[in-house]
Amino acid sequence: MKRMLARTALALAVGGLSLAATTAARAQFTDGVVRIGVLNDQNGIYADMAGPGSVAAAKIAVEEIGGKIGNTPIEIIVGDHQNKPDIGLNIARKWLDVDGVDMIADIPNSSISLALVQLVKEKNKVAVIATSNSNRLTGDSCTPNHVHWTLDNYSLAKSTATEVLKSGGSSWYFVTVDYAFGHDMEREAGQIVKNAGGTVVGSVRHPLGSSDLSSFLLQAQASGAKVIGFANSGADFTNSMKQSAEFGLTQGKQKLAALAVYLTDIKSLGLTSGQGLYLSEPFYWDLNDQTRAFAKKFSEKMNGAMPTSFQAGVYSGVLHYLKAVQALNSDADGRAIVAKMKDLPTDDLAFGKGYVRADGRKIHPMYLFKVKSPADSKGPWDLYTKIGETPADQAFKPLEAGGCALVKQN
């Protein structure tokens, strides 16, 4: 009888250990799903450059990883922050607290992304910031729970200013939108011009949303600068270029350089007004065979549209996140996942090979493009000619100069 009781106790103990091991294995994936939330502007000013296209890009990443990690499915959900910080943070908090979201991707609008990275740090989840430009994301607002993927203000200014200088653009005059974004872009680009031996002959600042920029453009034209740099974006940039074309600047001797303009801006503007403009991006759909392969997958989901750099950044960042989760066999610990994202080299169709630095900055080359003339374009999305390249190790602000506390701790 004693032997029988001993055997029963042993069986129960072994069974308990087996059950505990099974429970621990299941606990590697919170609620049995790897859940990714794409948070962006679905219908407003950032919808073309991110919006539904970013959702399509995230789904391509999921498809490439096989739709699941082991036996654990991957799910994409979507939220529209409407460019309002309170709405964006309320969505994110509900996702993290109630809906079991493990990672939040995209997040255009720096005021939202800067607040959100602190939230994911608090909750020990992950954010992949693809569509915000603020240098602070890898500076004083860096965290061990997020990465900054596509580009930032420094890389845009560095690529454009450096490469245009190489082609003879030694003197600059800036047309700048009068708020923090424009001031930051002008400051970054101006310093890069000066460091490279060029000169800044002056600048003029226009109100946000100004419909008549003629007086500002005439001042830039009269400055005699070899380059007019536009430190504005969106409708301000579009108005700048349309009125520049009216005054003959696009066909004149002065080079026109945009510091924060993207594929869908040029598509909307049109080649007649945009031709000859210099701009920088880290991705272009027609750059090489790999980018064309990604663009083909994307266009099939988006009725023939080509991906922007930001949508490519969502694809690339989500794919690398999933590779890190796959390597860890767990989505439970956000800090551990971001650490693994920094350990693993990056490699995908959109950006090729690269890596993530200690401050969370994704590193890859930046390219200078020139907008084609209507006569040179062979199709509705054939908009750019590649002019130059800033190597990956030079394209972003040096690690020690960013002010990230994570770097100081290393």
Side-chain angles (χ1 to χ4, degrees):
M1 184 67 178
K2 290 181 179 179
R3 288 182 180 178
M4 186 178 294
L5 289 171
R7 288 173 182 169
T8 301
L10 180 61
L12 287 170
V14 171
L17 287 172
S18 176
L19 179 61
T22 301
T23 301
R26 288 176 180 168
Q28 291 175 323
F29 290 93
T30 55
D31 68 8
V33 179
V34 179
R35 189 169 287 113
I36 297 168
V38 177
L39 181 62
N40 64 23
D41 174 2
Q42 286 286 301
N43 299 290
I45 59 173
Y46 298 131
D48 287 342
M49 68 173 63
S54 289
V55 179
K59 289 179 178 178
I60 293 170
V62 172
E63 290 167 4
E64 287 191 9
I65 208 78
K68 56 186 178 180
I69 295 176
N71 293 320
T72 303
I74 303 164
E75 180 182 330
I76 302 287
I77 64 174
V78 182
D80 184 354
H81 63 39
Q82 301 174 45
N83 288 303
K84 297 177 180 177
D86 57 337
I87 292 176
L89 289 177
N90 285 340
I91 291 171
R93 194 174 295 277
K94 179 177 181 293
W95 277 358
L96 300 178
D97 289 345
V98 179
D99 298 331
V101 168
D102 303 295
M103 187 269 272
I104 301 177
D106 203 6
I107 315 113
N109 190 309
S110 292
S111 62
I112 298 174
S113 63
L114 287 165
L116 184 137
V117 297
Q118 300 304 319
L119 179 63
V120 296
K121 178 184 177 183
E122 174 192 332
K123 304 293 183 180
N124 194 24
K125 298 296 184 179
V126 179
V128 174
I129 312 295
T131 315
S132 288
N133 289 15
S134 176
N135 296 319
R136 293 184 59 198
L137 288 162
T138 50
D140 63 349
S141 292
C142 71
T143 78
N145 289 79
H146 81 271
V147 292
H148 192 191
W149 211 261
T150 312
L151 50 79
D152 54 32
N153 287 341
Y154 178 90
S155 63
L156 288 169
K158 174 69 181 292
S159 175
T160 304
T162 301
E163 293 300 317
V164 172
L165 276 161
K166 289 179 183 178
S167 64
S170 56
S171 60
W172 287 61
Y173 188 95
F174 291 100
V175 176
T176 303
V177 63
D178 195 10
Y179 73 106
F181 157 74
H183 302 171
D184 185 52
M185 290 300 297
E186 179 187 325
R187 181 172 56 252
E188 294 279 14
Q191 192 59 54
I192 289 163
V193 168
K194 293 173 186 176
N195 290 346
T199 58
V200 176
V201 302
S203 66
V204 63
R205 293 180 174 177
H206 67 80
L208 177 66
S210 177
S211 59
D212 183 5
L213 297 165
S214 56
S215 64
F216 308 107
L217 295 172
L218 290 171
Q219 289 181 62
Q221 188 177 35
S223 71
K226 293 182 179 179
V227 182
I228 300 174
F230 292 100
N232 57 16
S233 64
D236 290 321
F237 164 75
T238 302
N239 288 335
S240 296
M241 289 304 298
K242 286 180 178 178
Q243 291 171 37
S244 292
E246 292 171 8
F247 297 141
L249 270 69
T250 56
Q251 302 293 329
K253 294 181 179 180
Q254 291 171 301
K255 299 178 186 292
L256 305 184
L259 297 175
V261 173
Y262 315 107
L263 185 72
T264 46
D265 295 320
I266 302 302
K267 184 71 167 62
S268 176
L269 177 66
L271 297 182
T272 299
S273 296
Q275 61 185 311
L277 178 75
Y278 291 89
L279 57 87
S280 291
E281 298 213 45
F283 166 89
Y284 177 52
W285 70 269
D286 200 21
L287 195 61
N288 54 48
D289 288 342
Q290 284 189 308
T291 58
R292 284 187 285 271
F294 169 64
K296 183 176 185 296
K297 293 182 179 185
F298 182 91
S299 65
E300 289 170 353
K301 293 181 181 291
M302 292 297 295
N303 298 316
M306 292 295 114
T308 66
S309 288
F310 296 122
Q311 291 158 346
V314 171
Y315 152 77
S316 177
V318 169
L319 181 62
H320 195 61
Y321 165 80
L322 291 172
K323 288 178 179 178
V325 171
Q326 190 175 53
L328 293 171
N329 197 32
S330 174
D331 65 0
D333 185 341
R335 288 179 182 81
I337 294 168
V338 170
K340 181 58 68 174
M341 292 176 76
K342 294 174 182 178
D343 287 342
L344 293 174
T346 63
D347 192 3
D348 57 75
L349 293 174
F351 294 95
K353 298 182 185 298
Y355 62 96
V356 181
R357 285 193 321 202
D359 60 352
R361 174 71 260 164
K362 165 68 167 61
I363 301 298
H364 43 246
M366 292 286 293
Y367 304 100
L368 182 74
F369 298 101
K370 187 175 182 179
V371 176
K372 290 186 173 184
S373 69
D376 291 333
S377 177
K378 297 179 175 62
W381 291 94
D382 182 25
L383 305 178
Y384 295 172
T385 297
K386 180 185 168 185
I387 300 297
E389 176 179 341
T390 304
D393 62 351
Q394 300 173 31
F396 295 89
K397 184 173 286 190
L399 185 63
E400 64 276 8
C404 173
L406 298 174
V407 177
K408 296 175 184 177
Q409 293 168 5
N410 289 346

